[in-house]
Amino acid sequence: MQQHSNPDPDPLRTPGLEPGGGVPPGETPPAESSTPGAGPQETHNPPRGWAKGPLTLILLLVVLVAAGFLAFAIALAL
């Protein structure tokens, strides 16, 4: 049978602790820096909005589908 140890360290044997559980200055690691500098430098920022080419193709597709529905409705009415 495997014995499991307590994951909490014994405060009496933990180095760096002051009486009462405090930590003296210099015993803790420095704070980490903020995350904006963590990723790669972004050099390409495309302009906002849709480009004219894709927007034109989408609008053309919408018009063709609408025309197809209109033609189908007219064919059903005849």
Side-chain angles (χ1 to χ4, degrees):
M1 181 185 224
Q2 185 180 12
Q3 284 189 339
H4 295 282
S5 63
N6 185 1
D8 296 327
D10 182 10
L12 298 177
R13 295 188 329 191
T14 303
L17 286 182
E18 293 178 333
V23 180
E27 284 290 323
T28 58
E32 59 185 73
S33 64
S34 63
T35 57
Q41 184 67 26
E42 187 173 333
T43 58
H44 173 69
N45 283 326
R48 292 182 175 212
W50 286 76
K52 291 181 182 178
L55 189 58
T56 303
L57 289 175
I58 291 171
L59 289 175
L60 181 63
L61 182 65
V62 168
V63 168
L64 287 175
V65 169
F69 280 125
L70 182 63
F72 185 70
I74 291 173
L76 284 178
L78 295 179

